[in-house]
Amino acid sequence: FQAPRGRHCGPPVGGVAALKMPVRVAAPGEARASGEAPLKRAKTPKKPSQPTWEEFRKFETYIFDCDGVIWGVAPKTTKRSVAVVNRLLALGKRVMFVTNNSNKSRLDFVKELESKGVRFPSVSDTDKENMMVSAAYTTACYLAREGLKRPFVITSDRGLLDELKAVGITDYRATVTDTGKPHPDFESSAMRGDGPDLDETLQHFLDADCVVVGWDMSLSSRKIATAVNLMKYHDEVHGDERNFKPMPFIACSGDAGGVLKSTTIDGRSFKVAAVGNGAMAEAIGRCFDPPRCWMDMGKPSDSLLELLASHAAYNVDMSTALMVGDTLATDIVFGNKGGMSTLLVLSGVTSKRELDVAAGAGDNMRIPTFVLDELGDVEADEQQQKE
């Protein structure tokens, strides 16, 4: 998500911490800990190539995005992608899944992967869960680390709430109940004229200590107005204090958009676009003058890269890792920033035309090492070689 200067302020100071594994995020260029080198910036080729199976299988760690790669695509594409993942697992490769989708808990994502046919090793549910990194989880860990205990949470699903509870944050205020149904104050989407007046709703949430924006499938003007007024009220009450700080404003991810489905309109294949989590946070931030900054907890934030690389958390060797995703601004930038090799699949958000535009602009951070129409094509290459 490319926010204009002065709005999205980049990764949070202090970064994210792994649950039960505190991680201090270093300043740019600073070593993360004794013996740990700073993250390297990727050197990407000017033109991505289609990987052969031998090129693809040489990595030790594979980090997969989910939406647009494994699901949210045609059933045949899902089946072929899952076959590749299962083959890597059978080869003893380290496989991880990192998603900016905050609508489900990590355990729910694991169950969905299993329902698609992913054959996890014979390990405990906890070990499976540790193969999954979600924006909801990284957000919950950050709040726990920073001592933020009463977030006002904008969401349409309970997954983010489940991850908050997992780190001991139970006194949240959310736009849905624990069962995932709309909170009574947000059954109406209107700012005025339907349901309780907005000032009555604010009375129920005034003790919130931060605003958290998840990927809300039913974002409304009422939810936006509530978040804006909570931050403004905080400014009014505490603005004259000597050590005043604005209320923390956090987005689970910075995605500009996504894909809801693929369809056919007037005989032309068309991907129906979704409003991204970052665009939702930006809509709230733009209600301030100057626009209010927000913190990104997902890809491509440096804080998430530090979490993956940290010896205390996931201990990923970036030099032997491949990031696989469908989005230039999040997946590919994320991998390139971390010094990973990157594979863009065109089955999700990014089109061939958009990749060509990025390549023409010479923006190496947005150019992948490899590109495929879909993940399953890498096995097709091996079949062709055998024939």
Side-chain angles (χ1 to χ4, degrees), residues 36-271:
E36 290 187 86
L39 291 175
K40 296 179 180 179
R41 301 303 177 184
K43 294 181 180 179
T44 55
K46 292 184 178 180
K47 185 176 181 180
S49 61
Q50 293 189 12
T52 65
W53 173 254
E54 288 305 313
E55 288 176 315
F56 179 77
R57 72 188 295 267
K58 72 179 182 180
F59 299 96
E60 294 299 321
T61 300
Y62 296 79
I63 301 176
F64 290 98
D65 180 40
C66 295
D67 289 284
V69 179
I70 297 173
W71 56 60
V73 293
K76 183 179 178 181
T77 301
T78 291
K79 185 176 180 179
R80 298 181 72 215
S81 296
V82 167
V84 173
V85 171
N86 285 338
R87 189 164 180 190
L88 293 172
L89 289 168
L91 289 171
K93 301 291 188 178
R94 185 181 186 187
V95 172
M96 299 179 65
F97 304 91
V98 180
T99 177
N100 275 357
N101 189 332
S102 61
N103 288 334
K104 295 182 180 180
S105 67
R106 286 170 298 147
L107 191 55
D108 284 339
F109 277 123
V110 167
K111 291 177 180 177
E112 183 163 358
L113 286 164
E114 289 180 321
S115 74
K116 300 296 184 184
V118 173
R119 296 191 292 271
F120 285 93
S122 298
V123 294
S124 67
D125 284 346
T126 299
D127 288 333
K128 293 177 185 177
E129 196 174 42
N130 288 336
M131 294 170 68
M132 184 84 222
V133 183
S134 72
Y137 172 66
T138 56
T139 300
C141 289
Y142 174 74
L143 265 59
R145 177 193 169 106
E146 295 300 307
L148 298 168
K149 300 178 179 179
R150 299 183 304 278
F152 172 66
V153 182
I154 294 179
T155 183
S156 54
D157 296 275
R158 61 178 180 80
L160 179 50
L161 306 185
D162 289 343
E163 293 291 4
L164 289 173
K165 286 184 282 189
V167 299
I169 299 174
T170 58
D171 196 18
Y172 45 75
R173 294 92 176 90
T175 56
V176 296
T177 65
D178 284 347
T179 60
K181 295 182 179 179
H183 185 285
D185 279 294
F186 297 99
E187 289 176 349
S188 167
S189 61
M191 280 192 293
R192 61 185 302 178
D194 189 13
D197 288 341
L198 194 57
D199 59 329
E200 295 177 32
T201 294
L202 287 172
Q203 295 289 336
H204 300 156
F205 302 99
L206 283 180
D207 59 347
D209 58 9
C210 62
V211 169
V212 174
V213 185
W215 193 29
D216 192 324
M217 297 293 100
S218 55
L219 185 68
S220 66
S221 59
R222 185 175 190 84
K223 293 177 182 179
I224 291 174
T226 301
V228 169
N229 280 285
L230 286 175
M231 288 189 277
K232 285 182 175 288
Y233 185 79
H234 175 87
D235 293 350
E236 289 285 338
V237 173
H238 301 287
D240 293 330
E241 295 175 3
R242 184 174 182 179
N243 296 317
F244 167 74
K245 293 182 179 180
M247 178 178 283
F249 177 23
I250 300 152
C252 291
S253 74
D255 293 71
V259 174
L260 291 176
K261 62 182 294 188
S262 294
T263 188
T264 301
I265 300 178
D266 291 338
R268 179 188 294 270
S269 178
F270 182 75
K271 296 175 182 177

Side-chain angles (χ1 to χ4, degrees), residues 222-342:
R222 185 175 190 84
K223 293 177 182 179
I224 291 174
T226 301
V228 169
N229 280 285
L230 286 175
M231 288 189 277
K232 285 182 175 288
Y233 185 79
H234 175 87
D235 293 350
E236 289 285 338
V237 173
H238 301 287
D240 293 330
E241 295 175 3
R242 184 174 182 179
N243 296 317
F244 167 74
K245 293 182 179 180
M247 178 178 283
F249 177 23
I250 300 152
C252 291
S253 74
D255 293 71
V259 174
L260 291 176
K261 62 182 294 188
S262 294
T263 188
T264 301
I265 300 178
D266 291 338
R268 179 188 294 270
S269 178
F270 182 75
K271 296 175 182 177
V272 180
V275 178
N277 197 157
M280 294 176 181
E282 188 71 4
I284 295 171
R286 287 287 294 137
C287 294
F288 294 83
D289 184 16
R292 185 66 57 98
C293 297
W294 47 274
M295 294 178 283
D296 181 5
M297 293 292 128
K299 299 171 292 184
S301 67
D302 287 345
S303 49
L304 182 51
L305 280 170
E306 294 281 357
L307 180 67
L308 290 179
S310 170
H311 293 331
Y314 292 99
N315 196 25
V316 173
D317 181 349
M318 301 293 185
S319 67
T320 61
L322 178 69
M323 177 70 219
V324 181
D326 69 313
T327 306
L328 294 177
T330 53
D331 302 316
I332 302 308
V333 169
F334 180 71
N336 285 341
K337 282 172 64 179
M340 293 182 260
S341 295
T342 51

